[in-house]
Each structure stands twice: as structure tokens, then as C-alpha cells.
Amino acid sequence: MLNVAVMGCGTVGSGVVEILLGHVESIARKAGDEIRVKYILDLRELPAQWEDRHITDFSVIEQDPEVDIVVETMGGVGAALEFTRRALLAGKSVVTSNKEVVAAHGCELNRIAKEKGVCYLFEASVGGGIPIIRPLSQCLAANEILELRGILNGTTNYILTRMIRAGLSFEEALAEAQEKGYAERDPSADILGHDACRKICILSDIAFGRHISPEQVPAEGITGVTLADVDYAGAAGKKIKLLGRAVRQADGRICACVAPHLVDQADPLAGVEDVFNAIAVRGDSIGEVMFYGRGAGKLPTASAVVADVIDIASHQGHRKAMSWDEGGDDVVCSGDVLKSRWYVRGEGDLSAALGCVQSLTRADAAPAESACITEEEMTRSEAEKKLTGVKVLSLIRVLD
Amino acid sequence: MLNVAVMGCGTVGSGVVEILLGHVESIARKAGDEIRVKYILDLRELPAQWEDRHITDFSVIEQDPEVDIVVETMGGVGAALEFTRRALLAGKSVVTSNKEVVAAHGCELNRIAKEKGVCYLFEASVGGGIPIIRPLSQCLAANEILELRGILNGTTNYILTRMIRAGLSFEEALAEAQEKGYAERDPSADILGHDACRKICILSDIAFGRHISPEQVPAEGITGVTLADVDYAGAAGKKIKLLGRAVRQADGRICACVAPHLVDQADPLAGVEDVFNAIAVRGDSIGEVMFYGRGAGKLPTASAVVADVIDIASHQGHRKAMSWDEGGDDVVCSGDVLKSRWYVRGEGDLSAALGCVQSLTRADAAPAESACITEEEMTRSEAEKKLTGVKVLSLIRVLD
């Protein structure tokens, strides 16, 4: 028998408890051992049927030698980080869905886990229930990973989908997402790209083997995307998607960014709608593979947490540790090295500034407005330099 | 140091050798140990630089206690099966891309591996390089799997794509696929659905935990699909795709089949073109996830084989065995329990026979020809009964 303590019984945590209690037999069969939920740590009240497991003091978990696995579904980096460290140091494996902690402190926590001979797993931290961490670290292990790109945030993908399909403005689509519970009351982590940024960092850590901090990765959200841009993109056969990207350069450094992109409608990523997520991985042997599914939600995310619990149980003490090396300024390079075509919306004669362009039109265009896609690939600073003196309203990368 | 013997140095086998010899350092880092290609077993000549590893007698591998892992990329079920059995019995782990052996004998080979404390892994047997076996068995372990459906054969998907996009007939598209090396000279295993059948059986074994034999699964290929059907499907906003499906029934039995389906253009599977494969998995917690990529080819498939080698090396002796229980007549149920809407092409008044239908039209229709999609969902035998006396030219399931 293995004992699990769940810390944080919010949306994901309560889903973990429900799955562990609701599938006892099939989980025991897969794990090779019975898995018991011994404690649920939360300051809030719990449903009556879980009350006998309810604790409010972390040290109970820390000091109970029977607890083998701690599930951290608290969120945030304060207590969640402290309790994770202390649980690992106490020789307990930790499973988490907390992307903020993994992105900022994964390297250190992996090291502690390795020293203590326990596991620190976080399949649920990226892509909700979509299997991506394990496929990337194990199934694609024979590849040098060349590029990652993904729709990593369901909230912004929902907002963009509604702008594209229903013609809602950004503000209207955001309000609808909040009503439906897809966006939080303070949506800034989603709409400013910070959530996607944490996720591309975690994927990069695994894919490239060195720590990349969210602070090293420029993140641009979707607050600047207008219906005019959506229309022009549509006229070019493209959709606007918020992508997290990480591209390995010839010198081995990683160029990572989060930004809206114009994605061709024939690209599999363009078909990823609503709150769905997708992650495309390009490797030197495999070519491109893509993983697609619900990137958030109670049970999808909880099922990824429970899969990690089962994995630890079934390999008792012998699961190979996940790890990557410390980061540094030499790991990443400026987002500006990434050349691409650009979509530009502005006032006046854009082709005079940019040279060869594909001009775009739309109904209801403002009189002075024009828009185009450059034919030449260039860095952002090259594009900005060419556009000196032009009134630029939007400047968005084109994914080729 | 771990020693690997590669049996069969054809397309995939030579790819395995290339990757293992070409990425020595990065593989050693990931595996936690150096991996050496000690033997290459093949009756054919090998490239000169591999000649010092060349053997033609399997017993060399069997009797060499230094060989830890045997890669079987021979194909077929004769010698491949015999050598796999003997390698496992000699205490060596085996990694394979051979779907025919896994589909028919996986249950027995897993059991031998377990008894001997070694591994039998086969990530490359389904979906080429697409990670699917490990995600299904590990990442989705917290789910009851409800349904699998996939485009599992790249050759037929290429043929259908060319029929749809370029208006080629089946015969023309097949000839083109053969020219490009996507179809073999004897294409029957692909175009009759047998290859997809083996793959849906392997996925079902893992997802549902009991052996399902290809003989228990009705397989229909694409030889009956005509350009007329492609046109009518297009008129209904659908594409014809060859799908392998396995659906868990309320009584726990599995209904599996391989057959062409009309797939709505909004379905992610409809966007899977050319030689690409995709596998959609529906679980009770996760909802639907999809895995997409190149389902065949030398390096993609070889990279999946090498990932299994790395997995075995990094868990030396402690990797949890994959297994499923023996099958039987109680595991599967007749494909006829599966209700769906149907696309029918025939002569005469189809709506008189079928009741409410969505009538379809196309340019160049033959004078007596008509086509429709039923509104009612029904089993195949119910549809056939209703169509008694009607001249039916095509009867294809609609995926809803």
C-alpha cells in the first residue's frame, strides 16, 4: 500500500481525490499496489465524506513516514514551493500541476529529488491532460529536438477562436470566456502570455536539457490583436494564434518567445480551436509530431497528476529521475535572431517601406489603413527599421 | 556499457544503427550508460563500415552473455518470432517495430519477458515514430479508455488524399504511391486494411487490457472507394478516411473494426493528410486527446525503436513490464453492434428505402445514380436490410 497526501483541494486537487477514490481497483492493478489517499491538506472546508482525511498542518505530512507521495495542487510559488522542498527533503516523491513552480524552480527540485532518491513529476504542468512531458523526455529521446511550438493556453485560444468565428471584439470575447469560467477574474497571466511562457520554458528545459527561465523569454499576449487583424489574416488564408516557440539555433542556443502568429489554415495548429491545446515537436529523426487535447479542466488535468502517481508507484524507487542542467545567459539568444515574414497593418504606403509585399484587403477598412505580408524574411528589428516613419498599428509574425 | 544486437538491417534496422552510432554521446547521457552496437544480424551484405559487426547466425547473439538488448527489425512472423522468443528466454530485452508479431503474439512474449525479468517494448509498432504506446499505457493510466480511433496506415491515407485533392482514381493514386515508395509492390496488406487492423489490435490490447486478435476484427480496405464517393462526401462537407476503431461497450466488451468512414471536415482527423497518421483516444477523465505525425519512414520509426532502447537502459532491470491478459470470444463483440449514420450510393430512390435522408448531388453523376446520408443511426445489418432490393454501389459509415 502506498499513501498519498494531496495538498490543495481546489479544482485540480479535488479531481485527483475523486479519481484516486473512484478508480481504486483499476489504479491498483496498473500501479501494482493499492494507493490510499491518507491526507488532504487545505485550509478550506472539505466535502463531508473527505473530512476524516482533512488536515490543515503540512508538518503532519512531512513527519508521517507512511506518506510516500505528495500531490501539490495548491498553485502559486509561496507555500507550494516551500512544502514541495520540504516533502522532497523528507524523502517523499512529489507530483504537481503547478507550472509556475516547475518553470522557476524545477531544476533545483529535480536535484533534491535525485539526491533523495525520490521523484518529482509534473506531467500536468503543461497541456493539462495531454501527454507531453513523458513523450518528450522518453519517446523522443533518440532525437535532437530542433523546435517546439504550441498553443499552450486555452483561455487565449478560446478568445481568439471567438474573435475569428463570431466576430467578437477582444473585450467581448474575454468577457464571454470569464462568464464560461475559461478565464479568471484577473486574466492577465493568460492574456499577457505569462502562462504560455512558463509552459514553453518547461518544455524547453526537457527538450534541450538546460534551464530556461521565464524571465529570459519575451512574452507578448493577445491584447493588441484586433478584429481588423483577424479579417486581414483571414484574407490571407491564415488564423491568428498565440504560440509559444523555442527554436534551436545552429550554435546550440535556444531562441524562445511567446507571441501571436499568423498560422496558415493548412497547418495542423490552425485547426486547434476553443480551449484546446496542441504542441508540435520537431526532431532530427522524427520530423514533426503533434499532441492535441484539452489543455485544462478539472478531470483532464487531474488524470495527468494521477498518471504520475501511478508511474511512481509502479516503478517503486527505480524510476529514472527527470533532470536538466542549470541555465545561464549562454543558453538563450535574443528573440531577434528569429527571421520570419511579417504581417503589418498601418497607415500609408507599406510596400514603399517594406519592398515586395502581399497586399491584403478587407471590407470596412478605415480610409488610410493598409495591410500586407512581407515577402522577405527578416528579424523584428529589421522590420521595425524598415518601418521607420510609418504609422504601424499591428506587427505580427507569420509562421512558415 | 550496454550491448545491442540489431536483427534485420533493412530500412528501419539500418536507421536504428545510424541513430545509435550517430548520437553516441547524447544517447549515453540520456540512457545513463554507453550503448554499443555489438552485432548486426543480416544475411545480406552490409555497408563496409559496419562489416566488423556483421553476423549471419542468430545463435551468436543468443549465446553471448554481453548482449543486453536485441532489436528486432526483421519483419514477418517466422524467424522474427522465433528469435524474439529465444532472445527473451536467454534473458535479453527485445525491442521491435514488428506489428505483425506484436499483434499476434504480444501476449505470450510479454509473459516470457516478465518471467525472465526483461523487457519487450514496441513503441515503433504503431504510428511509426509517433509516441502512442507509452502515452497510452502510462500517461493515460488514470483513465478508463472508452474509444480509440485512428488513421493508422500512411499508404492508404496517401492514396485517399490524392483521390480527394487531385481527383486521381484509386488505381492511379496507388500507382503513384508505389512510384514514390509509399506503397509496396504487393500493396494488399495496406489497401485491404490488414496493416491498420494489426495496429488497432495492439492499441486495444494496451488500452483495454486483454488480447484482441486481428482475426477477431473485421477489416475492410479502400479498394471499393471510388471518385464518385469522394465527390459526394465532399458535397456533404466530409472526407473519406480509413479508420481503425475500437469502442468499449456498456458490457465491457470491445467492438473493433477497420473500415473507410466519412469524416467531417471539422474533425481533427480530417486534416490528417498524405502519409501522416493520427490516433485519437477518448478517456473518461481526459476527454479526447490526439497524437499526430509521420506514421512510417526510416528515421521516424527507428527513433521510436531507439527510444525504447534508451528506456530499457535507463531503468536497468526495473522498468515495469507491459502486459495484458489473454483474449477470448468474450472480449470482443460483433462490429454490427456499432450504430452510425450511413452514406449510401446506389441506383433508384434511396429515401424510399431508408426514410429520412440527406440527399447528395455531384456533377457528372450517372443518370440512375443517387447518393445520400441517413439521418437515423443504425447497424450495418439494419442498413442492409432496409436496402434490400436496391442496387447499392457504396455503403460507408459516417463518423459522428
Side-chain angles (χ1 to χ4, degrees):
Chain A
M1 166 128 76
L2 281 157
N3 287 289
V4 172
V6 177
M7 308 195 296
C9 197
T11 305
V12 177
S14 64
V16 170
V17 175
E18 279 173 30
I19 293 176
L20 286 175
L21 296 181
H23 292 66
V24 172
E25 276 178 38
S26 71
I27 289 175
R29 199 177 60 240
K30 289 171 186 171
D33 203 344
E34 195 186 326
I35 292 178
R36 179 167 71 132
V37 180
K38 185 164 185 184
Y39 301 119
I40 305 173
L41 175 74
D42 206 303
L43 298 180
R44 295 166 293 189
E45 265 188 51
L46 295 188
Q49 73 273 23
W50 297 349
E51 202 39 64
D52 57 340
R53 300 173 166 90
H54 190 178
I55 57 169
T56 54
D57 176 7
F58 170 70
S59 63
V60 175
I61 296 172
E62 190 178 27
Q63 288 163 17
D64 184 342
E66 279 191 358
V67 172
D68 305 285
I69 302 171
V70 176
V71 170
E72 187 268 294
T73 43
M74 302 164 65
V77 278
L81 174 61
E82 186 202 329
F83 293 173
T84 298
R85 261 199 208 111
R86 284 166 58 185
L88 292 170
L89 288 168
K92 300 166 193 318
S93 288
V94 176
V95 172
T96 189
S97 59
N98 189 326
K99 50 202 169 267
E100 214 174 334
V101 167
V102 179
H105 304 279
C107 199
E108 175 207 341
L109 297 170
N110 281 327
R111 197 178 52 239
I112 301 177
K114 200 170 182 183
E115 284 165 11
K116 290 287 169 181
V118 294
C119 293
Y120 180 56
L121 298 184
F122 39 85
E123 180 64 69
S125 66
V126 181
I130 306 171
I132 177 63
I133 303 286
R134 201 171 270 97
L136 193 56
S137 60
Q138 297 187 355
C139 305
L140 303 180
N143 285 263
E144 294 290 341
I145 304 298
L146 304 172
E147 183 174 358
L148 304 166
R149 56 170 183 250
I151 294 172
L152 299 168
N153 179 272
T155 307
T156 45
N157 202 47
Y158 181 82
I159 292 171
L160 290 171
T161 301
R162 294 296 289 158
M163 290 174 71
I164 295 167
R165 284 212 185 150
L168 302 185
S169 69
F170 170 76
E171 290 74 17
E172 290 166 339
L174 170 59
E176 190 184 275
Q178 286 173 317
E179 260 168 48
K180 287 185 178 260
Y182 296 154
E184 297 184 43
R185 235 172 309 169
D186 174 3
S188 47
D190 292 322
I191 63 176
L192 298 178
H194 300 152
D195 176 78
C197 184
R198 289 170 193 142
K199 291 168 179 168
I200 195 70
C201 285
I202 296 172
L203 294 176
S204 298
D205 293 340
I206 295 167
F208 305 116
R210 290 199 55 192
H211 181 66
I212 294 177
S213 156
E215 287 153 23
Q216 295 176 293
V217 175
E220 185 189 335
I222 61 165
T223 51
V225 176
T226 67
L227 282 177
D229 300 320
V230 166
D231 286 352
Y232 282 123
K238 297 180 190 293
K239 284 186 190 171
I240 301 180
K241 294 285 182 190
L242 182 67
L243 300 186
R245 294 179 70 190
V247 187
R248 185 199 285 266
Q249 304 299 308
D251 64 4
R253 288 189 301 166
I254 307 305
C255 177
C257 66
V258 172
H261 282 72
L262 264 63
V263 178
D264 197 85
Q265 270 164 6
D267 189 297
L269 287 176
V272 178
E273 304 276 35
D274 298 322
V275 294
F276 281 80
N277 281 198
I279 300 132
V281 181
R282 191 159 56 83
D284 64 345
S285 293
I286 190 94
E288 188 157 298
V289 287
M290 194 175 91
F291 304 84
Y292 168 92
R294 285 186 184 279
K298 175 178 175 168
L299 289 179
T301 308
S303 82
V305 172
V306 174
D308 278 346
V309 171
I310 294 173
D311 191 355
I312 293 171
S314 64
H315 287 104
Q316 304 208 3
H318 296 293
R319 194 187 186 285
K320 182 159 177 286
M322 197 108 65
S323 72
W324 51 85
D325 296 335
E326 293 287 346
D329 289 342
D330 59 318
V331 184
V332 293
C333 53
S334 150
D336 200 46
V337 302
L338 211 58
K339 290 194 176 202
S340 68
R341 294 191 297 148
W342 291 86
Y343 156 83
V344 189
R345 182 169 61 92
E347 291 184 1
D349 187 357
L350 297 176
S351 65
L354 292 163
C356 272
V357 295
Q358 173 192 2
S359 287
L360 303 172
T361 55
R362 66 171 186 121
D364 311 320
E369 185 187 82
S370 64
C372 67
I373 290 175
T374 66
E375 290 197 357
E376 196 189 332
E377 299 199 339
M378 55 190 100
T379 64
R380 173 181 276 274
S381 62
E382 283 166 358
E384 284 171 346
K385 196 173 160 195
K386 281 175 192 272
L387 288 162
T388 311
V390 176
K391 183 166 178 193
V392 176
L393 301 168
S394 295
L395 181 62
I396 305 180
R397 267 187 203 280
V398 177
L399 184 75
D400 280 304
Chain B
M1 165 126 78
L2 281 156
N3 287 289
V4 172
V6 177
M7 308 194 297
C9 198
T11 305
V12 177
S14 64
V16 170
V17 174
E18 280 173 29
I19 293 176
L20 285 175
L21 297 181
H23 293 66
V24 172
E25 277 178 38
S26 71
I27 288 175
R29 201 177 58 239
K30 289 171 186 170
D33 203 343
E34 194 187 326
I35 293 179
R36 178 168 70 134
V37 181
K38 184 162 187 185
Y39 301 119
I40 304 174
L41 175 74
D42 205 303
L43 298 180
R44 296 166 292 189
E45 266 189 47
L46 296 188
Q49 73 274 23
W50 296 349
E51 202 39 64
D52 56 340
R53 301 174 165 90
H54 190 180
I55 57 168
T56 54
D57 176 7
F58 169 71
S59 62
V60 174
I61 297 172
E62 190 177 27
Q63 288 162 17
D64 184 341
E66 277 191 358
V67 172
D68 306 284
I69 302 172
V70 176
V71 169
E72 186 269 292
T73 43
M74 302 164 66
V77 278
L81 174 61
E82 187 202 329
F83 293 174
T84 298
R85 261 199 208 111
R86 284 167 57 186
L88 292 170
L89 287 168
K92 299 165 193 320
S93 288
V94 176
V95 172
T96 189
S97 60
N98 188 327
K99 49 202 170 269
E100 212 174 335
V101 167
V102 180
H105 304 279
C107 199
E108 176 207 341
L109 296 170
N110 280 328
R111 197 178 53 239
I112 301 177
K114 200 171 181 181
E115 285 165 11
K116 289 287 170 181
V118 294
C119 292
Y120 180 57
L121 298 184
F122 39 86
E123 180 65 68
S125 66
V126 181
I130 306 171
I132 178 63
I133 303 286
R134 200 170 272 100
L136 193 56
S137 61
Q138 297 187 355
C139 305
L140 303 180
N143 285 264
E144 294 291 341
I145 304 298
L146 304 172
E147 183 173 357
L148 304 167
R149 56 171 184 250
I151 294 172
L152 299 168
N153 180 271
T155 307
T156 46
N157 202 47
Y158 180 82
I159 292 171
L160 291 170
T161 301
R162 294 295 290 157
M163 291 174 71
I164 295 167
R165 284 213 183 150
L168 302 186
S169 69
F170 169 77
E171 290 75 16
E172 290 166 340
L174 170 59
E176 191 184 275
Q178 286 173 319
E179 261 169 46
K180 287 184 178 263
Y182 296 154
E184 298 183 43
R185 235 172 309 170
D186 173 4
S188 47
D190 292 322
I191 63 176
L192 298 177
H194 299 151
D195 175 77
C197 185
R198 289 170 193 142
K199 292 170 178 167
I200 194 71
C201 285
I202 296 172
L203 295 176
S204 299
D205 292 340
I206 295 168
F208 305 116
R210 290 195 58 188
H211 181 66
I212 294 177
S213 157
E215 287 152 24
Q216 295 176 293
V217 175
E220 186 189 333
I222 62 164
T223 51
V225 177
T226 67
L227 281 178
D229 300 319
V230 166
D231 286 351
Y232 282 122
K238 296 180 192 293
K239 284 186 191 169
I240 301 180
K241 293 285 180 190
L242 182 68
L243 300 185
R245 294 179 69 189
V247 187
R248 185 199 285 267
Q249 305 298 309
D251 64 3
R253 288 189 302 167
I254 308 305
C255 177
C257 67
V258 172
H261 283 71
L262 265 61
V263 178
D264 197 85
Q265 270 163 7
D267 190 298
L269 287 176
V272 178
E273 304 276 35
D274 297 322
V275 294
F276 281 80
N277 281 199
I279 300 133
V281 181
R282 191 158 57 84
D284 63 345
S285 293
I286 190 94
E288 189 156 298
V289 286
M290 195 174 92
F291 305 84
Y292 168 91
R294 284 185 185 280
K298 174 178 175 166
L299 289 179
T301 308
S303 83
V305 172
V306 175
D308 278 346
V309 171
I310 294 173
D311 191 356
I312 293 171
S314 64
H315 287 104
Q316 305 210 4
H318 296 292
R319 196 187 184 284
K320 182 159 177 287
M322 198 108 64
S323 73
W324 52 84
D325 296 334
E326 292 287 347
D329 290 340
D330 59 319
V331 184
V332 292
C333 54
S334 150
D336 200 46
V337 303
L338 211 58
K339 290 194 176 202
S340 69
R341 295 191 296 147
W342 291 87
Y343 156 82
V344 189
R345 182 169 61 93
E347 291 184 1
D349 187 357
L350 297 176
S351 65
L354 292 164
C356 272
V357 295
Q358 172 193 0
S359 287
L360 303 173
T361 55
R362 66 172 186 121
D364 312 320
E369 184 187 84
S370 63
C372 67
I373 291 176
T374 66
E375 289 197 356
E376 195 188 334
E377 299 199 338
M378 55 190 99
T379 64
R380 173 180 277 274
S381 62
E382 283 165 359
E384 283 171 348
K385 196 173 159 196
K386 281 175 192 272
L387 289 163
T388 311
V390 175
K391 183 166 178 193
V392 176
L393 300 169
S394 295
L395 181 62
I396 305 180
R397 268 187 203 279
V398 176
L399 184 74
D400 281 306

